[in-house]
Amino acid sequence: MPDIDALPVSPAIRTALDCAIQSVLGRIYAQQALGRCATYAIVGARVLSEVLKHPYYPVCGGQVLDCGNGMYIVFYPGREERRRARRLGDMRDYHCWIQAQRKCAGSTRTRIEIVDFAARHDRASAEMLGVPFERASDLDYLWVWEDVQALAFPDSLRSHPDMRSRRPAWQWVDEKCTRLLLDMQAAQPGFYRQLSEAVIASLGEHASPANSASTLLTPQFRLRLPELRQHAGSLVGLHA
């Protein structure tokens, strides 16, 4: 009997994609990786959509960060801050990640797939705010069904002001925040295209018979891998 909670992407391919994204963005933002969730979401969504042949979207809103030992941080811009913002940089305390909708086999029901390649910076985010990070494990990335993740939502946070008007969730999409994120993407299409192509070139380097990641690349990208790899090396020091 199939596992209904199995993710549509194998662990090996998920890890290969994360390694490729980190190899590019981690190198470019080596000195200031914290606070780059928007770039991780935009580039990650573009790469996943191209490589996995399924639409993934960058989104923005609020997040509950589990620091372990019953300690949590809620990131979400205030109502007035959201109202006044004209660009994403006008706000603080937002979070960006990637989502996709998947149809359940034999049903009209859909599930939301959540991907967050910036989860590796959870500890640094907590430490920056002076909150002890005592979670049992650090994540390189988060890749989970939204409904499965919600099962572990703590009762202690259900009365939090940012939770009272919505169903409990570790992250929630805000329409205004997401619109500003998409505006940011639209303002620099060439920049994000270059980063995405560099990640795809790096994916070819991280591919192996064990993860079969290279077989996910279209013939167009496989033919362009030498060119893309050469170009990827020139992106170091490039910042948005």
Side-chain angles (χ1 to χ4, degrees):
M1 184 174 179
D3 181 0
I4 62 172
D5 288 332
L7 287 161
V9 183
S10 74
I13 290 177
R14 297 199 300 263
T15 297
L17 286 162
D18 173 68
C19 288
I21 288 171
Q22 181 59 23
S23 71
V24 174
L25 299 189
R27 186 169 71 250
I28 292 173
Y29 299 116
Q31 304 304 317
Q32 48 181 338
L34 188 62
R36 295 290 179 176
C37 62
T39 302
Y40 274 91
I42 291 171
V43 173
R46 291 174 64 103
V47 170
L48 296 187
S49 296
E50 171 63 36
V51 171
L52 300 179
K53 307 299 182 293
H54 184 85
Y56 285 80
Y57 303 98
V59 295
C60 183
Q63 177 199 30
V64 176
L65 176 59
D66 181 5
C67 298
N69 201 24
M71 301 190 68
Y72 306 93
I73 303 173
V74 178
F75 294 101
Y76 191 41
R79 180 181 300 176
E80 187 64 19
E81 188 178 9
R82 299 195 309 274
R83 188 183 71 81
R84 292 179 177 274
R86 295 294 177 266
R87 59 188 184 87
L88 195 61
D90 293 336
M91 299 184 298
R92 299 178 58 191
D93 297 336
Y94 60 82
H95 186 59
C96 304
W97 65 98
I98 303 163
Q99 289 191 176
Q101 285 198 339
R102 297 279 187 173
K103 290 184 178 180
C104 298
S107 170
T108 58
R109 177 178 170 236
T110 60
R111 302 178 80 181
I112 295 177
E113 182 184 359
I114 290 176
V115 184
D116 187 354
F117 291 115
R120 62 184 358 101
H121 303 304
D122 284 355
R123 178 181 294 275
S125 296
E127 291 176 348
M128 181 185 67
L129 296 173
V131 178
F133 193 84
E134 301 176 358
R135 199 170 68 199
S137 61
D138 288 318
L139 299 174
D140 286 335
Y141 60 90
L142 176 70
W143 204 312
V144 67
W145 292 118
E146 182 186 53
D147 55 346
V148 172
Q149 184 192 35
L151 295 175
F153 193 82
D155 290 337
S156 61
L157 282 179
R158 293 177 186 270
S159 60
H160 188 279
D162 287 328
M163 300 295 161
R164 290 173 184 166
S165 60
R166 62 175 54 84
R167 61 184 175 80
W170 292 96
Q171 56 272 111
W172 57 96
V173 176
D174 181 272
E175 182 179 352
K176 174 69 176 289
C177 294
T178 298
R179 179 168 61 79
L180 294 178
L181 173 64
L182 296 179
D183 288 347
M184 176 179 167
Q185 177 179 227
Q188 293 185 293
F191 173 74
Y192 293 113
R193 186 191 68 251
Q194 290 177 50
L195 290 183
S196 302
E197 290 186 348
V199 170
I200 291 174
S202 181
L203 178 62
E205 296 173 358
H206 287 91
S208 70
N211 61 44
S212 302
S214 62
T215 64
L216 296 173
L217 302 182
T218 63
Q220 170 196 11
F221 273 104
R222 281 201 292 272
L223 287 172
R224 294 187 61 203
L225 278 178
E227 167 202 343
L228 295 176
R229 286 171 180 157
Q230 181 178 15
H231 180 61
S234 67
L235 293 179
V236 178
L238 184 65
H239 298 271

